[in-house]
Amino acid sequence: MKQWRRRWTYEIPLAIGDALGEVLVVQLAALLDRLTVRKVIAFIPVVILVLAYYHRIPIPPELMLVGDFLAYIDIFSVLILLGALSRVTTMLFVLKQAAARIAKFAGKVAAHLPGRDVRHRRQRGAATRPHRKPERSEDDRALGGVWDQAAFA
């Protein structure tokens, strides 16, 4: 009798509590981790159909159309994505053309600028040509070197 009482007062309620905890906490958390917005939206038409075939609750046709729209949400999202991608490719094409025109314009401007002559460059350590001193004129020689540079020094 004591075993029977222990089993029905402790073991069976604990087993039921463990099973409820497993189902309502652990498995529900795992289900919510896998649940996405897309799955919820896809499940709404199923709920509407179940309610429609349950004859006690009348459902207006507008609600059925909403269910159809939600069923086709994947098609609408693909069409929206294709529209956005076509706009992006158009913008990239325009940007590519603008970049090509800017590069062409820059090339034309660079071609018309006077360039530096780099064909006859001197080496950095190369000696320069000695400059000739101007010859002394007859007037300078006649005065006997008064205008000589040495006289001013």
Side-chain angles (χ1 to χ4, degrees):
M1 185 70 160
K2 199 171 192 179
Q3 287 266 345
W4 181 81
R5 182 171 185 256
R6 175 175 169 79
R7 181 176 176 149
W8 282 101
T9 56
Y10 291 111
E11 293 176 7
I12 291 181
L14 288 175
I16 292 172
D18 288 345
L20 285 175
E22 174 73 23
V23 170
L24 296 177
V25 176
V26 176
Q27 291 181 6
L28 182 63
L31 175 72
L32 291 177
D33 282 343
R34 292 188 311 258
L35 191 64
T36 62
V37 175
R38 183 176 175 191
K39 288 181 181 178
V40 170
I41 291 174
F43 189 69
I44 289 174
V46 174
V47 171
I48 292 173
L49 284 174
V50 167
L51 289 176
Y53 287 112
Y54 192 63
H55 295 290
R56 293 184 186 165
I57 302 172
I59 293 181
E62 298 87 19
L63 194 58
M64 294 300 288
L65 290 175
V66 168
D68 290 341
F69 174 75
L70 292 175
Y72 295 119
I73 194 77
D74 291 335
I75 296 171
F76 290 122
S77 64
V78 167
L79 291 175
I80 290 170
L81 284 174
L82 286 176
L85 286 177
S86 67
R87 288 185 187 144
V88 168
T89 53
T90 302
M91 289 190 314
L92 287 176
F93 177 72
V94 169
L95 285 174
K96 184 180 174 183
Q97 279 188 335
R101 288 182 182 175
I102 289 171
K104 187 176 178 181
F105 178 72
K108 286 182 179 180
V109 168
H112 286 38
L113 287 176
R116 298 179 73 187
D117 190 14
V118 294
R119 292 175 289 174
H120 302 292
R121 293 175 60 181
R122 291 188 180 162
Q123 294 178 356
R124 290 184 180 241
T128 57
R129 286 190 297 182
H131 295 288
R132 289 188 329 146
K133 293 183 183 177
E135 292 185 23
R136 291 174 47 177
S137 66
E138 291 182 18
D139 294 335
D140 290 341
R141 281 183 261 152
L143 294 175
V146 175
W147 299 107
D148 241 355
Q149 290 292 333
F152 291 111

